């Protein structure tokens, strides 16, 4: 990804709704799929982006995506040698020695570079510089005291989502694997503008690594299907499958350009978050399709499309999308699902932050897949990616919202690894709805408290469209 170099800290983005970054890699949100809210637009590398599904439950529960931070690619002359060697036997250089003071400085620099004071608590570069002077004014004798210093320094920001992660917490977060084979993908357009997928990160000793895949390799096909032009988000779904089954990859190694067929054993599988049924309306003259979406994972878009098309084939003329108690998941999944219902050019969401790369307008690029009347059910536990979908469809007059006000979590976060294996999660931006409302701390108010008659829904949406044109 593009890199705005941070002296030492490695950064990978999880988006909010979770976090972000690895050393020289930067992903921005919701950008092309896993840029994960995932930064591919414009050809930058992308990392899995997520939306925090933990809501207000502090650190531990945030849904995180992102595969192990990038590894140095083997030199070209080692390509053939590696095919004959046990990957686990490859020598790795010992980590550089880092002082306790440098760990504190790293954490300070991360905040100084990217932190967004979303709560308007009075943060300023001048105050933060003074904080640095204060904390480094006294000796820091142990690594434990360095970590405590970082915790106190971050706590002074007053942002519960900006926090310190122990090496164990960071490792657990970094190894969350959404492909099932231990890799993270980035999208890079070639000279003709065709998207190609390369391995951005790989889990050491994970299934793909043990089978011979390396960071920087290009994935050419999955189970015989040419994936050129497909997004990293789409391909992540192709890689998924039942645990202990195999997926066949055609890979071109980064340095020697050798093309190999590699068979990889899956280690995990995403569960479908979609449940649906066909219901007869009270009038008895029509059917309505009910679809419950429990979370936004790598299968959400694909399974939602399958469910809605099956319901349409069975006679559904309108739909209820139930997002109650859906606390989020992959930001990009939410963005891609919203695009299924939007007209080409309509805004999905705006992102705001200090970093110009965080400031984006995400729009639908194609005509809608579904145009039937849509009711979205929400409540106080509808959050993050769910709020992006609800706001996008509501503000563009594609759906009515029914239920209770949503949770109100619209922060974008990044996670930076410090050089001792610990990490810092930092709020770097926020989401703003197409109607320019700040989601975070406000939530989204529904149009109705109870499901209205279908005629009322169509009337409401028609009036909405007239008002927006005016």
């Amino acid at each position: 990804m593009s890199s705005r170099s941070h002296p030492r800290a490695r950064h990978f983005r999880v988006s909010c709704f979770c976090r972000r970054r690895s050393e020289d890699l930067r992903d921005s949100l919701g950008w092309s799929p896993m840029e994960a809210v995932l930064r591919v637009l414009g050809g930058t590398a992308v990392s899995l982006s997520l939306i925090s599904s933990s809501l207000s439950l502090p650190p531990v529960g945030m849904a995180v995506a992102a595969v192990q931070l990038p590894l140095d690619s083997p030199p070209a002359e080692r390509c053939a040698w590696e095919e004959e060697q046990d990957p686990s036997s490859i020598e790795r250089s010992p980590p550089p020695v880092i002082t306790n003071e440098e760990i504190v400085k790293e954490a300070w620099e991360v905040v100084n570079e990217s932190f967004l004071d979303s709560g308007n608590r009075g943060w300023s570069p001048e105050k933060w510089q003074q904080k640095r002077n204060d904390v480094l004014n006294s000796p820091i004798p142990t690594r434990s005291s360095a970590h405590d210093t970082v915790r106190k320094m971050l706590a002074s920001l007053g942002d519960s989502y900006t926090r310190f992660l122990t090496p164990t917490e960071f490792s657990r977060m970094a190894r969350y694997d959404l492909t099932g084979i231990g890799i993270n993908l980035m999208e890079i357009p070639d000279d003709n503008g065709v998207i190609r997928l390369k391995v951005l990160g790989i889990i050491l000793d994970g299934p793909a690594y043990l089978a011979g895949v390396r960071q920087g390799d290009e994935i050419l096909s999955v189970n015989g299907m040419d994936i050129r032009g497909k997004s990293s988000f789409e391909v992540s779904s192709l890689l998924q499958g039942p645990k202990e089954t195999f997926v066949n990859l055609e890979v071109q190694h980064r340095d020697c350009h050798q093309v190999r067929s590699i068979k990889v054993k899956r280690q995990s599988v995403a569960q479908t978050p979609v449940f649906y049924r066909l219901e007869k309306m009270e009038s008895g003259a029509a059917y309505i399709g009910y679809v419950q979406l429990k979370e936004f994972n790598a299968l959400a878009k694909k399974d939602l499309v399958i469910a809605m098309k099956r319901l349409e084939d069975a006679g559904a003329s309108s739909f209820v999308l139930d997002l109650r108690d859906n606390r989020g998941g992959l930001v990009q999944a939410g963005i891609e699902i919203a695009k299924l219902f939007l007209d080409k050019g309509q805004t999905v969401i705006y992102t705001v932050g200090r970093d110009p790369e965080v400031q984006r307008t995400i729009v639908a690029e194609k005509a809608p897949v579904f145009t039937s009347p849509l009711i979205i059910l929400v409540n106080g536990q509808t959050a993050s990616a769910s709020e992006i979908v609800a706001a996008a469809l509501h503000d563009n007059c594609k759906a009515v919202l029914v239920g209770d006000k949503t949770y109100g979590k619209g922060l974008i976060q990044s996670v930076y690894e410090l050089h001792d294996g610990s990490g810092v999660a930092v709020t770097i931006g926020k989401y703003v709805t197409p109607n320019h409302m700040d989601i975070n701390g406000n939530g989204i108010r529904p149009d109705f408290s109870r499901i209205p008659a279908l005629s009322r829904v169509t009337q409401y949406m028609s009036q909405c469209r007239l008002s927006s044109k005016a």
Side-chain angles (χ1 to χ4, degrees):
M1 307 208 144
S2 64
S3 104
R4 193 171 86 211
S5 162
H6 190 289
R8 287 177 284 278
R10 294 199 296 179
H11 151 239
F12 72 88
R13 157 105 110 263
V14 171
S15 185
C16 173
F17 294 19
C18 276
R19 18 217 165 253
R20 172 192 202 188
R21 181 150 136 202
S22 284
E23 201 149 43
D24 302 339
L25 309 175
R26 213 172 196 187
D27 58 349
S28 256
L29 336 121
W31 322 166
S32 253
M34 275 178 3
E35 192 175 13
V37 88
L38 277 194
R39 181 164 139 197
V40 254
L41 307 185
T44 48
V46 286
S47 157
L48 283 188
S49 105
L50 283 212
I51 297 188
S52 151
S53 59
S54 63
L55 300 179
S56 58
L57 308 175
V60 185
M62 300 191 89
V64 201
V67 178
Q68 169 107 6
L69 301 167
L71 308 172
D72 291 334
S73 300
E77 62 269 24
R78 288 176 58 186
C79 278
W81 177 85
E82 282 197 336
E83 293 179 12
E84 304 171 0
Q85 302 297 314
D86 177 357
S88 63
S89 68
I90 298 175
E91 292 186 9
R92 301 186 182 94
S93 302
V97 176
I98 190 93
T99 68
N100 299 323
E101 287 75 15
E102 286 174 319
I103 290 297
V104 174
K105 289 177 183 177
E106 278 190 321
W108 180 89
E109 288 164 352
V110 167
V111 173
N112 191 58
E113 177 184 290
S114 302
F115 176 67
L116 177 69
D117 183 14
S118 61
N120 298 317
R121 299 176 183 87
W123 182 89
S124 70
E126 295 74 23
K127 290 181 180 178
W128 194 238
Q129 179 64 49
Q130 184 58 52
K131 175 64 69 175
R132 181 183 188 276
N133 297 339
D134 292 342
V135 299
L136 293 175
N137 194 39
S138 301
I140 305 175
T142 66
R143 190 50 50 89
S144 177
S145 60
H147 291 173
D148 287 341
T149 298
V150 173
R151 286 190 184 92
K152 292 175 183 176
M153 187 170 65
L154 299 181
S156 71
L157 297 171
D159 177 5
S160 61
Y161 297 106
T162 295
R163 64 194 190 282
F164 174 76
L165 301 168
T166 65
T168 299
E169 290 171 334
F170 184 87
S171 176
R172 183 165 59 238
M173 176 185 298
R175 291 183 69 87
Y176 189 95
D177 173 24
L178 293 176
T179 65
I181 62 172
I183 63 173
N184 195 2
L185 301 172
M186 63 180 173
E187 301 174 10
I188 297 182
D190 61 18
D191 294 339
N192 297 316
V194 176
I195 293 295
R196 294 182 179 274
L197 294 181
K198 294 191 176 182
V199 177
L200 167 67
I202 188 164
I203 294 179
L204 283 175
D205 301 324
Y209 184 84
L210 294 177
V213 179
R214 292 292 178 268
Q215 191 228 340
D217 288 354
E218 180 181 352
I219 307 298
L220 303 177
S221 70
V222 176
N223 287 332
M225 178 186 294
D226 186 344
I227 55 87
R228 284 174 295 184
K230 293 186 179 297
S231 71
S232 53
F233 189 75
E234 292 174 299
V235 174
S236 70
S237 295
L238 296 177
L239 295 173
Q240 285 282 353
K243 186 176 182 180
E244 305 300 316
T245 61
F246 290 87
V247 59
N248 295 303
L249 307 180
E250 186 179 28
V251 172
Q252 183 173 47
H253 289 308
R254 172 183 178 178
D255 294 308
C256 61
H257 304 297
Q258 177 184 8
V259 175
R260 289 181 60 199
S261 292
I262 299 178
K263 189 175 183 179
V264 184
K265 191 174 185 177
R266 298 178 173 109
Q267 66 178 1
S268 61
V269 58
Q271 299 296 316
T272 181
V274 177
F275 300 87
Y276 62 98
R277 63 178 180 267
L278 187 68
E279 295 188 355
K280 201 165 191 178
M281 300 186 72
E282 291 184 3
S283 62
Y287 290 92
I288 187 168
Y290 170 86
V291 181
Q292 180 186 32
L293 183 57
K294 289 191 170 184
E295 67 173 337
F296 292 86
N297 65 15
L299 301 181
K301 177 185 175 183
K302 180 182 71 175
D303 289 357
L304 179 71
V305 170
I306 291 173
M308 292 190 65
K309 286 189 173 180
R310 285 178 178 172
L311 289 170
E312 280 186 333
D313 291 343
S317 57
S318 59
F319 292 90
V320 169
L321 177 60
D322 192 348
L323 297 181
R324 291 174 299 181
D325 300 318
N326 183 326
R327 298 186 174 191
L330 281 172
V331 168
Q332 190 59 34
I335 289 171
E336 294 300 315
I337 284 173
K339 290 179 181 179
L340 295 172
F341 302 88
L342 298 179
D343 297 330
K344 182 177 180 180
Q346 286 187 319
T347 299
V348 178
I349 201 76
Y350 298 105
T351 61
V352 178
R354 288 172 57 204
D355 185 342
E357 292 188 10
V358 175
Q359 300 176 27
R360 308 191 72 116
T361 299
I362 303 170
V363 301
E365 304 90 0
K366 301 176 182 178
V369 175
F370 302 106
T371 57
S372 300
L374 180 65
I375 295 170
I376 298 179
L377 304 183
V378 296
N379 64 8
Q381 296 302 307
T382 298
S384 300
S386 294
E387 290 176 291
I388 286 181
V389 173
L393 302 190
H394 175 267
D395 289 3
N396 285 293
C397 306
K398 295 295 184 178
V400 297
L401 305 185
V402 177
D404 302 314
K405 188 177 78 167
T406 64
Y407 183 85
K409 183 153 196 293
L411 296 180
I412 304 164
Q413 292 181 302
S414 288
V415 167
Y416 298 75
E417 182 186 25
L418 305 182
H419 264 63
D420 68 341
S422 62
V424 176
V426 181
T427 296
I428 56 136
K430 62 183 179 180
Y431 289 96
V432 177
T433 73
N435 284 347
H436 302 283
M437 189 191 80
D438 186 349
I439 293 175
N440 196 62
N442 297 310
I444 303 167
R445 293 188 179 280
D447 304 303
F448 303 95
S449 59
R450 298 190 179 189
I451 296 179
L454 185 57
S455 59
R456 182 74 182 97
V457 172
T458 54
Q459 179 186 19
Y460 189 93
M461 291 171 61
S462 296
Q463 292 174 341
C464 175
R465 291 172 188 137
L466 289 173
S467 298
S468 62
K469 288 181 181 179

